[in-house]
Amino acid sequence: MRILIGVDHSPHSERAVRFVARMRWPAGSRVIVAHVMSPPLSPPVGGVDAGVSLMAEVSAEQVAEARTRVSEAEAELRAVGIATEYRVPTGDPREALLRLVEDERVKLITFTGSAG
């Protein structure tokens, strides 16, 4: 069974990971832990050069934070013997998670937080 957990920085997200960690899943099950990143913003028209470097800094920080959150969730799941994979797509969280459900043939999705 393929299970998708959408994680963010909310306590609800932490509860979703704990819920999946407590359950018994069929042999061979895999959990995909996903954190959807917002698309990069456009640089301000008047300061394109400064805007681009600021965007790169913000983007690098967002990627690092996303990977940290995903890694924490994966570690918690692996500690109880659950096989995991991770994804860090960019876009609208609702659309990105539904795309993952389809692309990865997910049978169960659990997420909470600010996805809408």
Side-chain angles (χ1 to χ4, degrees):
M1 173 181 280
R2 293 181 77 77
I3 302 156
L4 174 63
I5 303 177
V7 296
D8 58 14
H9 299 286
S10 72
H12 305 292
S13 177
E14 293 170 12
R15 283 195 289 273
V17 172
R18 283 194 307 267
F19 169 78
V20 171
R22 285 193 316 261
M23 300 298 291
R24 291 185 185 236
W25 303 103
S29 293
R30 294 190 70 77
V31 174
I32 299 169
V33 180
H35 178 90
V36 182
M37 291 185 30
S38 300
L41 301 172
S42 300
V45 176
V48 173
D49 292 336
V52 170
S53 65
L54 177 61
M55 283 176 41
E57 276 183 51
V58 169
S59 179
E61 287 176 18
Q62 287 177 334
V63 168
E65 287 179 23
R67 293 217 172 139
T68 296
R69 179 60 197 124
V70 166
S71 294
E72 290 169 354
E74 279 191 298
E76 186 171 338
L77 294 165
R78 287 181 179 168
V80 296
I82 297 174
T84 65
E85 302 172 22
Y86 77 90
R87 305 288 186 274
V88 183
T90 300
D92 177 272
R94 294 163 290 208
E95 292 172 9
L97 292 172
L98 289 175
R99 199 169 35 254
L100 279 172
V101 167
E102 185 176 314
D103 293 349
E104 301 288 344
R105 292 185 245 163
V106 169
K107 300 296 182 198
L108 174 69
I109 181 171
T110 178
F111 66 94
T112 57
S114 57

